[in-house]
Amino acid sequence: MSANGRNGGQTGPGSLRAGDLRCEYLVNPLAVQTQRPRLSWRLEAVCADSPRSAPRPRGLRQRAYRILVASSPALLRANQADLWDSGRVESDTSLHVPYAGRPLRSRHRCFWTVRVWDQEDQACEPASPAEFSVGLLGPRDWQGRWIGIGQDIQHPVPLLRREFTLDGRVKRAVLYATALGVYEMRCNGKRVGDAVLAPEWTSYAKRVQYQAYDITKLLRPGANALGALLGDGWYAGRLGLAHIARDCHWRGIYGRRTALRAQLHVELTDGSEAVVGTDGDWRFTLDGAILSSDLLDGEHYDARREMDGWDAPGFDDSGWAGAIPMRPRCGALVAQPNEPMRVLADLTPVSVREPKKGVYVLDLGQEIAGWCRLRLRGRRGQVIRLRHCERVGDDGMPYVDNLRIAPNLDTYICRGGGVETFEPRFTYHGFQYVEITGLDRAPRVEDVTGRAFWSACRPTGSIECSDPLLNRLASNIVWTQRDNMPGIPTDCPQRDERCGWTGDIQVFAQTGIYNMDLAAFLTKWLRDLSDDQAEDGRFPDFAPHPFEPHARFSGAPAWGDAGTIVPWRIYQNYADTSVLSEAYEPARRWVDHITRHNPDGLWVKERRHDYGDWLNADTFKFDRFPRGLARVPGEVLATVFYWQSTDILARMAEQLGNAEHAAHYGGLASRIRRAFHDAFVDSDVRIQGDTQAGYALALGSGILDASLHARAFDHMVRMFEPFDGHLSTGFITTVHAMNMLTRFGRSEQAYELTMRRTFPSWGYTIEQGGTTIWERWDGYVAGKGFQDPGMNSFCHYAIGAVGEWMYRTMLGLHPDEANPGWKHFTIAPVPGGGLSWVQGRYESIRGPIDVAWRVRGGRLSLNVSVPPNTTATIHVPTSDPASVREGGRAADRLPHLTPLPSTTAHPAAVFRVGSGEYAFTAAVR
Ligand code: BGC
C-alpha cells in the first residue's frame, strides 16, 4: 500500500484535519515511562475553498486512520515510518491508540503523524507532526546517583554545582532531574524550565517522579555549569495534619536528608554524546541566600548572602564541600505523567491599606495559591516580612487564626544598593491579602505581584450568562480548583493541611473535569491513592498518605470511594480503559474490604472516621435552623456509597472483559440495593433520617428503585421547608440535591438556590467578599463573625461541585457513559432563573462543544456545535415542538436531524445529530 492509503496517493479533498496530537495526554512529552505510549488526536472540519465564516460541513466522521512514527522528522516527511506504520486501520478511534512498532528503548525520540480518511473515504491532509521521547526506563539507565549534603534537615537551602566542558557544538541536550525534596535546576546562570515545586508529592517510598527538560539552548561549546537548589518540600518539610498525627513540629516524615539526582545527555553535532550525572564531583554550600524554606512555614531569604555567578562556569567553588553520594530508600523513578505546576497568573493588587502605622495590607482581589514577588529599594540588612491570609478582620488587620500552625510568613533581608526583587521558591500560601511590614514607606501596587501557580492542565470549560452573581460563582469555582492543584487535588491551600483529601475530589471530579483536562493529573493521583492503600484494602482518606500505619485516616465512606468513582469519571470523560485496568484491583480490594466487615449488605461496621455529609446545616455554629434535620445517618450514606462502588466495579469488570467478576459484583450490588431498601426506605418512601441529603443521594446515585423516585423527590422538596427553602446539605450531597432538582422538574428552584443571597448560600459567601468557595457555608456570618478557627478554610472546592449542575443545567452538557470520551453526548439546556442568555464551551477530549442560548420576545435561540467524529442528542427546550426551526427551516423536515422522543422532565424537541454547527429557534412561553 502506498503511504497515502487507499484512494489514490493524493491527499486533498478530505473534510477533516487531525490535530492536537498527544501522547499519554501530553503534548510532545520529553519522557514517557512506557514503551507502548498511547497516541491520540482530535479532528477538525476543514472547509475547502470556503471562507472561515461559512458553516462547517456536518456529519463528519473518521472512517480510518494511519499512524506513522519515524526516528527523524526527515524520514517522517518522506513518509518513511521506520519505527511504526500502523497501516490503514478501519476505525473511528482517535484516542489512546497504543504504539505498536519497533521496540523502543530508553531515550528513544520518535516523530509521528496521523492521516485520516473521512466518511466519504477521502484521504485528509496529514496532521502536523508531533514527537515524544521515551524516558529512562530502568534503574540501569541512571548513571547519575543520588547526592546530598550528608546532614539532616533544618539548614539553609543547599546550592549544588558542577562544571563540565563540551568539545563541540550542541545538537540536542536533555536534562533529567529529580529530588527527594524539591529542586530548581540552573544552567549557565539561567533557570532550567519553568516548573515549580518539582518533582511533586508522591508516596516517595513507592514512586519518585523525575522531569525532563530540553536545555539545548542553554549550553555552549567549552565550559558549562549545572546548578541546583534543593528544598525540603513534601519529602522533608512540614506536612499538614502532622500536628494531629504526632507533634506540631514534625518534619522529615518521608526522610530527613534531602537528595538530588540528575543526568544530562548532550548530543554534539559531530555525533558524539556526553553524559553528566550527579556524583561525588558535584560541590555544595550552605552559604546560599535561602535561610530556610518550607511549604507551610514560608521562606526566609537573606539577600546579603546571594552569590552572583554560582550557577555559571568560572565560579570559584574552592570553599564548597564535595557532595555526598547517597543510597536513600525510595521507590522507582518514573517520568512525571502529569502536567507540571507553573506560575499561570500574575495579579496586581487592587488596593493598599495601612490599618496600623507601618503595617501595609494589600488586597489581590482574588484568593490564589502562590506567593508574592516584591520589588523594593531597601537598606542593607533591612528586614521585610510578608504575612499571607485569606481574610482581614473588621479592623483591616489580617485574620490568621484559621491558618492554624502554618505561619505563611516570608521574610526578606535586603542586600541594599538599588532595586531588588524577592520571590520565594519552595513555599506557597493560600491568600488574598498580604501584610507587609518593615518597609520605610507604603508599597505601590505595581511593586507587588501575586503569583498564582497550579498544575498546568489545559482549561477546557467556560460558562457565562446574563447574571453577574452566577458568573462570579463560576469564577470562584475555577479559582478554588486552581488553588488546590499543587500536583495533587488538595482540600485547601492555606492552613496546615493541604492534603489530597479523597472525599473532596470524589464529589468535585466532574466539575473539575468540565473546567480543566484532568486526565493526566487524576491518573497520577490515582497512583498516589493506590500506592497508599492499606493491606486490607482500605483506601487512605487522603493521598499521598504520609502517616503509618493508616489506622487513623483511612476507610471512610464517600472518601475511600474516590478509588472507584474517580477512575470511572476518567473513563466516562476520556474513554480511558488503561485507567480502569490500573484502578481495578485496588477498587476490588476496597469493595472486598467493606464486604468482609458487612456481610449483610449494609455498611454498618468499619466506617472509621465516618465523616458523613460533612459540614451540613446541623454543624452550623450559629442557630439559624432547627437542629437534627440535616444530617443523613452514617449507615444510610455509607450503604449508598458501598452500593455505588460495587456497581461501578461490576461495570469496570465488564469493560475490562471479566464476565465472571462482572456477574459477581453485579450480584453483590443487587443485594446491597435490596438491603438498603429493606432497612432504610419505609412504605411511604421516607428514607431513614428524612433529610434532603438522604433523598438527594439515593436519587442521585441511582440506588433507589425507579418506582419510588417521584415520592422520594417529594420528600426531598418537603425537607426544604424547615430550612426556609435553603439547602441543608454538606460536602457530599449538595451537588446531588441540585442535579435532582433539575432532573425531576424543579430547575427553577435549583436556579433560585444558586442565585439567592441569604445565608446559607453560594450567593451569601459572594456577598461577604468570597472570591473562592468556602469550606463551610457559615465560614463567616455577618454580625456573628467567623466559624471555629480550628477548621475554617475559605478555599475548599467540595460545595463548588455545583459547577457540575451549572454545566449540566445551564449549558445542558452531559457525557454519555455508553459512549465514553464524549463520543456521543447530550446537550439539554434548561433555561430558567430569569436568565436571558447563557453561553459556554467544553473542550472535550474529541474537540470543542459550544452551546449558546438566548430567550427574547417569546423565542429561544440555541446555537450548538458538535465536533467531528462525534454525535449528539440535542434537546431544544420548548413545549411546542412544531415551532422548532433549524437554520431558519422547519426542523421536522431536515434530513440531518433525527427526531427522538423527549425523555426528561422538561418539554423539548429532541434530535440526534452528527457533527457540525446548528442554529435552532423555538417558541417559549
Ligand atoms: C479537610 C476536608 C476533608 C475532611 C474530612 C478536613 O479537615 O479539610 O476537606 O475532607 O477533613 O472530613
Side-chain angles (χ1 to χ4, degrees), residues 241 244 404 490-492 495 497-499 501-505 541-542 553 559 609-612 614-615 731-732 775 790-791 793 796-798:
L241 295 182
I244 301 182
R404 305 200 302 221
T490 57
D491 56 338
C492 59
R495 67 180 179 226
E497 188 143 359
R498 312 183 191 184
C499 294
W501 279 95
T502 49
D504 308 39
I505 188 62
D541 295 350
F542 50 90
F553 290 109
W559 269 252
H609 265 298
D610 202 18
Y611 310 104
W614 193 239
L615 305 181
F731 261 41
I732 301 298
E775 177 175 29
M791 212 189 72
S793 143
H796 251 68
Y797 49 56

Side-chain angles (χ1 to χ4, degrees), residues 116-155:
V116 300
W117 286 262
D118 70 9
Q119 63 291 336
E120 311 293 342
D121 206 16
Q122 298 291 322
C124 306
E125 289 287 340
S128 307
E131 64 170 285
F132 64 87
S133 297
V134 180
L136 301 177
L137 290 174
R140 261 178 275 130
D141 296 311
W142 280 92
Q143 301 168 34
R145 307 178 58 182
W146 286 111
I147 55 170
I149 64 164
Q151 285 180 38
D152 275 11
I153 42 184
Q154 300 221 280
H155 42 66

Side-chain angles (χ1 to χ4, degrees), residues 825-838:
F825 52 91
T826 298
I827 301 179
V830 184
L835 298 182
S836 55
W837 60 270
V838 170

Side-chain angles (χ1 to χ4, degrees), residues 2-215:
S2 84
N4 286 321
R6 195 183 278 173
N7 66 343
Q10 293 308 308
T11 60
S15 53
L16 293 172
R17 179 179 298 126
D20 189 23
L21 269 48
R22 291 201 267 169
C23 173
E24 292 293 328
Y25 292 116
L26 303 176
V27 177
N28 299 334
L30 282 168
V32 291
Q33 199 70 24
T34 167
Q35 290 167 292
R36 280 171 55 83
R38 296 167 301 158
L39 306 176
S40 304
W41 56 94
R42 249 158 68 159
L43 297 160
E44 265 179 47
V46 273
C47 290
D49 305 327
S50 59
R52 273 207 84 72
S53 55
R56 307 270 133 187
R58 291 177 167 147
L60 305 184
R61 280 176 293 112
Q62 170 188 299
R63 178 175 179 146
Y65 70 82
R66 180 175 186 184
I67 295 172
L68 303 176
V69 186
S71 53
S72 79
L75 285 173
L76 190 65
R77 265 195 307 276
N79 278 330
Q80 294 188 12
D82 58 331
L83 293 175
W84 185 39
D85 179 347
S86 71
R88 176 176 160 128
V89 180
E90 302 299 315
S91 166
D92 63 357
T93 287
S94 60
L95 301 177
H96 317 305
V97 179
Y99 172 87
R102 279 179 40 203
L104 300 178
R105 40 175 216 295
S106 285
R107 309 191 51 253
H108 218 129
R109 188 176 183 194
C110 309
F111 300 85
W112 71 285
T113 187
V114 59
R115 162 158 315 155
V116 300
W117 286 262
D118 70 9
Q119 63 291 336
E120 311 293 342
D121 206 16
Q122 298 291 322
C124 306
E125 289 287 340
S128 307
E131 64 170 285
F132 64 87
S133 297
V134 180
L136 301 177
L137 290 174
R140 261 178 275 130
D141 296 311
W142 280 92
Q143 301 168 34
R145 307 178 58 182
W146 286 111
I147 55 170
I149 64 164
Q151 285 180 38
D152 275 11
I153 42 184
Q154 300 221 280
H155 42 66
V157 165
L159 310 179
L160 297 103
R161 74 186 303 278
R162 150 98 208 247
E163 288 193 26
F164 57 96
T165 308
L166 293 174
D167 303 323
R169 295 214 351 260
V170 178
K171 184 167 160 221
R172 185 161 191 258
V174 176
L175 174 67
Y176 305 88
T178 186
L180 297 172
V182 283
Y183 71 89
E184 179 179 309
M185 293 297 301
R186 317 274 312 173
C187 178
N188 293 336
K190 298 227 166 64
R191 175 172 178 184
V192 171
D194 58 1
V196 298
L197 298 172
E200 309 200 344
W201 191 358
T202 53
S203 188
Y204 301 103
K206 305 254 171 55
R207 232 161 10 95
V208 180
Q209 302 190 150
Y210 65 87
Q211 289 70 37
Y213 307 91
D214 184 333
I215 63 163

Side-chain angles (χ1 to χ4, degrees), residues 835-916:
L835 298 182
S836 55
W837 60 270
V838 170
Q839 66 181 39
R841 160 174 277 208
Y842 173 59
E843 293 251 4
S844 79
I845 184 113
R846 290 181 210 263
I849 303 165
D850 291 299
V851 180
W853 59 258
R854 181 178 283 279
V855 182
R856 201 189 283 145
R859 268 198 103 66
L860 167 126
S861 63
L862 171 65
N863 293 318
V864 303
S865 87
V866 175
N869 209 29
T870 70
T871 55
T873 299
I874 300 178
H875 295 233
V876 182
T878 181
S879 34
D880 177 10
S883 72
V884 176
R885 301 173 79 78
E886 196 282 310
R889 292 158 60 200
D892 52 1
R893 295 209 204 106
L894 294 174
H896 57 272
L897 304 178
T898 311
L900 294 172
S902 174
T903 47
T904 70
H906 305 279
V910 185
F911 306 96
R912 173 126 179 166
V913 302
S915 77

